Amino acid sequence: MPLTPLPPMHIPDGFLSTPVSLTAWVVSVPLVGHALRRVGRDLGERQVPVMGVLAAAIFAGQMLNFSVTGGTSGHLLGAALATMLLGPWPAIVVMTSVVSIQALIFQDGGLLALGANLFNMGIVGVCVSHFVFRTVRGLLPARSTGILVGGALAAWMSIVVSSLACALELSASGTSPANLAIPAMAGVHALIGLGEAAITVGAAGFLLAARRDLLDDHSAARHSNTAVWLVGAAATAVLVLFSPMASANPDGLEWVARQQGFLRMAADPWYKLVPGYSLPRIADKGIATILAGALGALLVLGTALCAAYLRRGKRGS
């Protein structure tokens, strides 16, 4: 597979009208603010490093697009896994850290559209995941079965419902009629959701074997956070190293935009720092992508940890 810079994966400026983009900001900002307050109140000391390394791993995982039938590709969202490990409010902060760094540093998603990307992936994805996961765990008494089945369904639903939210925004913006945008987005993301479910179940199965206390509220085991740092760092490093091998096929939104003829509406970024997840002035594109991934993972790690520790500091003062 060719080593090529990754294409943008999130809603760019130009796809959504200004009223829709501003409405998404108005909805997202207070919800993210409330999530930050809840993190300061609810997050336990042992969960803080989990929040940081998980944010870095999700960032790296989102770089590694996987091929989907029909000439398209998908990538990890991570909302379900973050919700399973941390609960909904810290998960929203994790997803906000990831999506914001992607937009601000890597020009993945527009700045005006950032509110919509936060809403779709960070809020809708997390809320759907939390509802589905908790519902399934309540229905299935076996703890491991409930975690794995609930995680799979939560992951799949988070992808599909988030894509439907995007489709409604495209429709409200006049970019694509609802009767075309909704089935197109739902259809391709139903397939992408299967990949999300498989990744989530794989990660949950590993954690059930290695650190069950992170997923099971009833587990009495409490381990050192050193293992969290080591496993998280190793997983992030592996994902970053493999990121140049990401599928070159268009992701779900780009595929729909091409099929329906509105890809040309995408506006150029307001500025360019590390566009396409490839550090400029480095001739080897594979190395440029790996270095960009490492930079992004460190930035997301720092952002999530700062958010957690600052809010906990305010709680203790």
Side-chain angles (χ1 to χ4, degrees):
M1 189 172 295
L3 302 179
T4 56
L6 298 175
M9 297 177 284
H10 307 325
I11 303 174
D13 286 335
F15 277 15
L16 304 182
S17 67
T18 300
V20 169
S21 296
L22 293 179
T23 299
W25 273 107
V26 169
V27 173
S28 298
V29 167
L31 288 173
V32 171
H34 181 70
L36 283 168
R37 289 191 293 272
R38 289 294 299 265
V39 163
R41 190 172 73 188
D42 301 342
L43 198 66
E45 184 66 32
R46 72 186 184 91
Q47 292 176 299
V48 172
V50 178
M51 184 172 165
V53 296
L54 182 61
I58 288 174
F59 173 89
Q62 287 197 8
M63 292 182 65
L64 194 57
N65 280 35
F66 51 85
S67 295
V68 179
T69 184
T72 187
S73 69
H75 64 81
L76 175 73
L77 176 61
L81 188 60
T83 305
M84 292 164 65
L85 285 168
L86 298 168
W89 301 114
I92 288 176
V93 175
V94 165
M95 296 305 298
T96 298
S97 301
V98 172
V99 176
S100 297
I101 292 296
Q102 287 170 334
L104 295 172
I105 305 299
F106 299 92
Q107 289 68 67
D108 186 0
L111 295 183
L112 186 58
L114 177 56
N117 284 320
L118 289 175
F119 178 76
N120 298 341
M121 293 182 282
I123 296 172
V124 172
V126 167
C127 289
V128 169
S129 297
H130 179 66
F131 174 78
V132 173
F133 184 63
R134 286 300 174 185
T135 300
V136 173
R137 287 204 65 185
L139 294 174
L140 296 178
R143 292 174 185 169
S144 295
T145 302
I147 289 171
L148 295 176
V149 175
L153 291 175
W156 187 81
M157 287 293 294
S158 69
I159 293 291
V160 174
V161 178
S162 295
S163 74
L164 291 176
C166 179
L168 291 173
E169 291 158 2
L170 293 171
S171 175
S173 299
T175 303
S176 178
N179 63 331
L180 296 179
I182 291 175
M185 288 290 288
V188 69
H189 284 88
L191 297 175
I192 293 172
L194 296 177
E196 180 86 11
I199 294 170
T200 302
V201 169
F206 171 80
L207 290 171
L208 281 173
R211 285 293 305 269
R212 188 183 186 93
D213 59 299
L214 294 175
L215 283 168
D216 192 345
D217 296 337
H218 302 285
S219 176
R222 292 293 182 266
H223 302 282
S224 168
N225 281 330
T226 302
V228 173
W229 286 109
L230 292 176
V231 172
T236 302
V238 169
L239 291 168
V240 167
L241 287 173
F242 278 93
S243 61
M245 300 178 65
S247 171
N249 291 335
D251 79 313
L253 175 58
E254 184 183 351
W255 184 85
V256 171
R258 287 183 178 181
Q259 294 295 312
Q260 299 192 12
F262 61 86
L263 184 61
R264 65 185 182 279
M265 297 176 64
D268 290 332
W270 296 4
Y271 60 89
K272 293 183 180 180
L273 292 179
V274 191
Y277 295 92
S278 182
L279 283 179
R281 299 182 181 179
I282 296 180
D284 189 303
K285 296 301 183 183
I287 294 176
T289 299
I290 291 171
L291 292 177
L295 171 64
L298 289 173
L299 289 173
V300 169
L301 171 69
T303 301
L305 288 178
C306 285
Y309 281 119
L310 288 175
R311 292 311 306 176
R312 283 180 56 78
K314 288 188 177 182
R315 181 182 70 176
S317 60

